[in-house]
């Protein structure tokens, strides 16, 4: 049983077990609690509806988080790799003879820990037919003789194949590529090689052979490999395309299915590594736990969404807690006379609290059940919305399958956590409402003003503990602990100052301190902070600032009364009574205002998220409207008939890097990624193609960031990271570490902007070209883009 389930479940059993024992030992309290809950059904329904908000929100967040995490792992690891568990590649990211795969396949040590070994080819390029083309296509060469352990390709329309029945030039294409090209079985394709990687076979570039679509692979392993636009070709056909009988990957499958090979992969890694090192030039090869790495990357990438969902649920729970306090206070107010009678008959304040807790336990359990039932469809809705958002963000480049996941342990966790939080708020509220005077309660009169009592030892101990914990939190290296520690010290100072300052001044100083500390801590969070750290600080800061400003506003409601006095007599008579009511009940007013404030803060947050995830690209693109990419030529010349439609353009020499990518903070590692490298010089830097979204602190302006790219080797501008991150690529002579100095908006011209000096380690990468175009006024950019594509179709643009 996982700690995430064991801890709340254990606390649930302890707390509600103690309440059960209390009910057995104090049967009178139990009968009174049950009577109040059963006799007043409308009131009970209202209270349960209010209390279930927390459980429903927590359940929805947990269910949505499970769906996000499972969908990511399922797609990026299991559907992507299928039965491929480990891979062997050249350390220089290049090609090697077929004999490498043959020797591994015949090695007894390797055979003992694997199911299958097959050499292959993976290169990027563009795919063209007689109607249209698309870039970023992967050519996957597979060995039909050794395909059986990796599974047969299921075909749209029925049937399957392992490739042995494919003739020369016959290939399969992925379902996604078929949709992008509107391709059908029998169509003829031409694959234009984009990148062979460092250490490619070299020699003159041969005309690509014509390929025939023999089938469309279903989007399931192995036909879902890479989740992208793929041409699956038998090894002989793939080698004809690249012009060499060579491999650049060996794929390995270990015993087990697709999802249950973690232990087998870990056991197989060391012996396979020893066998690889025993090969001729064995030190020039790298063994990678491909599936384990993808599982880890997918789980890491989903942590942000899970943390965001839990953070949002914490805000809703906080608003719900304020609602619970009001509801329990309303019940106590309505029953005040009866509670006074019970006190007069000898029931102590401690027993009144016990009565409220037993009744609250009944409400909490009922609210927990209702909350789980409401949270289920809410979680499904959240999961579907995230699936839709991801599909829109990824566009038609990934065949990502988002699905709904429901686990019994998630429901149990949501139920336990929701009911415990609800009961905690009920207990805290009951302790306050139980402090009543018998005479005033029976006669239903306001409580007399109590003189400030001297601080007892219990209060002093709590104050000292708050100070000690606050100082420890402020000195902590963890951002949420530092945030909470500061809040603790502010509350401790507020407790000490109470009675020494006037009520209004005390509330004003406390509210401003809470809001100021919250804003300062949020602004100090670095942009690459971990998701859990960021949302921990963010949630605490939002709640503290909202309720701090609420305290400030509640303390100055008399200002609103005075402003109402400046209005006409009729309006003044209408507004002053409710304002006076609010001003004289600061606790209830503050809680109610805080609920609405948290809701408005969340709506504002969602509005900001909408802008962040859909940025105004027209502002970041420096006015350019059309992007032209050429993978087969180092220069782009627009057709003569279209030059008059272009007002301005910029050309960038582009290198097609394909190989390992190691990033930071959510920009996960990958053993084979296509990253265009855009080479900029001083001319391009002075008139940058895109505007920047974020910059390192050392570069106050966009111009300084672009100048740093030209002047400082190793400096890059890229959306694949945050300023200050380092990214490691593999150059011709080994790893190359690059520093991110700034980031543009994602989706404009994605890749890395770097100087010619920084690009030297990637000299063997194939050279292409990129162009950004600003159309003349009155020229439709979409029409211009389609005309350029048609005019330069044969060049693979």
């Amino acid at each position: 049983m996982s700690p995430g389930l064991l801890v709340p479940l254990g606390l649930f059993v302890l707390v509600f077990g103690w309440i059960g024992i209390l009910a057995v030992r104090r049967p009178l309290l139990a009968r009174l609690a049950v009577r109040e809950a059963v006799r007043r059904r409308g009131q009970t329904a209202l209270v349960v509806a209010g209390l279930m908000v927390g459980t429903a929100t927590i359940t929805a967040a947990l269910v949505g988080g499970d769906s996000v995490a499972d969908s990511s792992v399922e797609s990026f690891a299991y559907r992507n790799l299928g039965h491929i568990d480990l891979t062997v590649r050249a350390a220089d990211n290049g090609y090697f003879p077929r004999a490498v795969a043959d020797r591994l396949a015949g090695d007894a040590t390797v055979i003992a820990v694997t199911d299958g070994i097959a050499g292959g080819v993976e290169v990027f390029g563009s795919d063209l037919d007689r109607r249209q083309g698309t870039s970023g296509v992967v050519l996957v060469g597979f060995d039909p003789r050794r395909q059986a352990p990796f599974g047969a390709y299921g075909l749209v329309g029925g049937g399957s194949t392992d490739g042995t029945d494919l003739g020369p030039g016959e290939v399969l294409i992925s379902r996604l590529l078929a949709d992008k090209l509107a391709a059908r079985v029998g169509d003829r394709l031409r694959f234009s090689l984009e990148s062979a990687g460092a250490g490619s076979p070299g020699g003159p570039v041969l005309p690509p052979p014509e390929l025939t679509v023999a089938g469309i692979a279903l989007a399931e392993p192995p036909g879902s490999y890479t989740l992208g636009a793929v041409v699956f070709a038998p090894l002989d056909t793939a080698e004809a395309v690249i012009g060499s009988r060579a491999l650049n990957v060996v794929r390995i499958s270990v015993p087990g299915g697709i999802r249950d090979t973690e232990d087998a992969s870990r056991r197989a890694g060391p012996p396979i590594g020893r066998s690889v090192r025993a090969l001729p030039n064995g030190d020039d090869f790298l063994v990678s736990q491909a599936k384990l790495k993808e599982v880890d990357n997918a789980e890491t990438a989903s942590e942000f969404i899970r943390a965001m969902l839990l953070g949002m649920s914490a805000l809703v729970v906080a608003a719900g807690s304020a609602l619970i306090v009001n509801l329990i206070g309303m019940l106590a107010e309505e029953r005040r006379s009866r509670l006074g009678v019970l006190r007069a008959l000898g029931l102590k304040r401690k027993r009144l609290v016990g009565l409220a807790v037993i009744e609250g336990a009944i409400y909490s359990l009922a609210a927990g059940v209702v909350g789980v039932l409401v949270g289920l469809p809410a979680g499904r809705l959240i999961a579907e919305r995230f699936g839709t958002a991801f599909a829109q963000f990824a566009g038609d480049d990934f065949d990502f399958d988002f699905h709904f996941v429901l686990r019994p342990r998630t429901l149990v966790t949501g139920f336990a956590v929701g009911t415990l939080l609800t009961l905690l708020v009920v207990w805290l509220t009951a302790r306050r409402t139980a402090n009543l005077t018998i005479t005033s309660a029976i006669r239903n009169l306001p409580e007399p003003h109590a003189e400030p009592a001297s601080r007892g030892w219990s209060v002093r101990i709590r104050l000292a503990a708050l100070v000690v914990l606050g100082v420890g939190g402020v000195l902590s290296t963890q951002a949420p602990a530092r945030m909470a520690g500061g809040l603790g010290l502010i509350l401790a100072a507020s407790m000490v100052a109470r009675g020494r300052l006037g009520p209004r001044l005390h509330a004003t100083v406390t509210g401003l301190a809470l809001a100021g500390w919250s804003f300062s801590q949020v602004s100090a969070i670095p942009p690459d902070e971990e998701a859990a750290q960021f949302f921990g600080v963010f949630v605490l800061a939002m709640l503290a600032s909202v309720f701090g400003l609420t305290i400030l506003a509640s303390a100055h409601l008399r200002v609103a009364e005075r402003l109402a006095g400046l209005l006409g007599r009729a309006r003044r008579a209408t507004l002053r009574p409710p304002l006076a009511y609010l001003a004289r009940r600061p606790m209830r007013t503050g809680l109610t205002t805080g609920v609405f404030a948290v809701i408005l803060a969340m709506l504002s947050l969602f509005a900001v998220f909408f802008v962040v995830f859909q940025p105004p690209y027209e502002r970041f693109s420096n006015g350019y409207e059309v992007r032209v990419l050429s993978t087969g030529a180092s220069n782009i010349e627009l057709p003569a008939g279209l030059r008059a439609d272009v007002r301005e353009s910029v050309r960038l020499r582009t290198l097609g890097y394909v190989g390992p990518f190691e990033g930071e903070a959510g920009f996960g590692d990958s053993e084979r990624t296509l990253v265009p490298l855009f080479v900029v010089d001083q001319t391009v830097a002075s008139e940058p193609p895109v505007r920047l979204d974020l910059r390192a602190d050392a570069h106050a302006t966009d111009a300084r960031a672009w100048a740093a790219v030209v002047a400082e080797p190793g400096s890059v501008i890229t959306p694949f990271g945050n300023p200050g991150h380092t990214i490691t690529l593999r150059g011709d002579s080994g790893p190359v570490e690059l520093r991110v100095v700034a980031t543009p908006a994602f989706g404009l011209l994605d890749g890395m902007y770097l100087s010619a000096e920084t690009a030297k380690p990637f000299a063997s990468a194939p050279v292409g070209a990129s162009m950004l175009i600003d159309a003349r006024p009155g020229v439709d950019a979409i029409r211009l883009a389609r005309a350029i594509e048609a005019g330069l179709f044969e060049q693979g643009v």
Side-chain angles (χ1 to χ4, degrees), residues 516-527:
W517 175 255
S518 302
F519 295 148
S520 67
Q521 291 303 296
V522 168
S523 63
I525 299 177

Side-chain angles (χ1 to χ4, degrees), residues 450-471:
E451 293 296 328
S454 60
R455 300 186 185 275
W457 283 107
S458 62
V459 176
R460 294 175 182 175
I461 291 175
R462 289 198 297 268
L463 182 60
L466 193 60
V467 171
V468 171
L469 293 176
V471 172

